[in-house]
Amino acid sequence: MTQRTLVLVKPDGVMRQLSGTVIQAFEQKGLKLVGLKMMVMERALAEQHYAEHQGKSFFPGMVDFIVSGPIVAMVLEGPGAIKAVRDLMGATNPQDAAPGTIRGSLAVDITRNVVHGSDSPESASREIGLFFRPEELVSYVRPVDGWLSE
Ligand code: CDP
Ligand code: MG
């Protein structure tokens, strides 16, 4: 099933010049980039984005961190894109993330874990709407799209 999902390169990833590495991991998988932008998140956007974690002990520190510098936001599309992104990201705590995953390869700290990816179809659609207007998402056909639909 074709899905769209939101990915963020968090401020640690941008500052460590890993934005390209993260995008490349998803492009090499075969996911299609359909939206891309850079910003410093407003605190209100960060609190909305992470609303499910309001009240948890790590919430204030996590919000402070995510607004502390630039992020790269993208929307990726493809068959099973939500799980594909989560699998490539690895476990939330980089110390538990499998070798070869983005977090397993590139991070050691649970807050500075390089990347965010939506965790369900409901989260994906909500989060995409927080970061992108519909007209900012680009629909296009790649040669490989024909192969996949055969
Ligand atoms: O990002 P993911 O969906 O894997 O994890 P989450 O449970 O939705 O938590 C969101 C983010 O909060 C994580 O990516 C961590 O950066 C941060 N976090 C943290 O700083 N300390 C924790 N104990 C748990 C999460
Ligand atoms: Mg999450």
Side-chain angles (χ1 to χ4, degrees):
M1 186 196 15
T2 300
Q3 295 178 326
R4 286 182 169 182
T5 189
L6 181 83
V7 167
L8 305 177
V9 183
K10 297 185 182 183
D12 58 323
V14 174
M15 291 299 184
R16 292 174 59 204
Q17 303 189 181
L18 295 172
S19 303
T21 300
V22 172
I23 294 171
Q24 184 176 45
F26 298 125
E27 285 199 308
Q28 286 181 332
K29 173 72 171 168
L31 296 173
K32 185 196 287 187
L33 197 53
V34 297
L36 185 66
K37 64 168 68 169
M38 189 173 206
M39 68 173 79
V40 177
M41 285 167 75
E42 301 277 355
R43 188 164 290 269
L45 173 60
E47 288 175 354
Q48 257 187 302
H49 173 66
Y50 281 126
E52 66 182 295
H53 297 305
Q54 293 249 12
K56 295 184 186 166
S57 59
F58 64 84
F59 184 80
M62 192 219 349
V63 170
D64 285 348
F65 166 64
I66 204 81
V67 303
S68 70
I71 58 112
V72 172
M74 74 197 86
V75 176
L76 292 162
E77 180 184 282
I82 295 167
K83 179 173 186 294
V85 163
R86 298 283 300 184
D87 288 349
L88 285 168
M89 281 169 35
T92 303
N93 187 341
Q95 295 175 35
D96 300 327
T101 62
I102 293 168
R103 288 164 168 171
S105 300
L106 300 176
V108 291
D109 181 300
I110 190 167
T111 301
R112 292 168 185 79
N113 60 0
V114 182
V115 66
H116 166 85
S118 309
D119 66 5
S120 68
E122 297 70 33
S123 305
S125 115
R126 187 182 74 83
E127 293 173 0
I128 289 168
L130 289 175
F131 286 85
F132 290 89
R133 296 192 303 274
E135 63 271 23
E136 292 179 312
L137 301 177
V138 183
S139 291
Y140 58 98
V141 178
R142 307 164 301 177
V144 71
D145 292 322
W147 308 339
L148 289 172
S149 64
E150 276 166 15

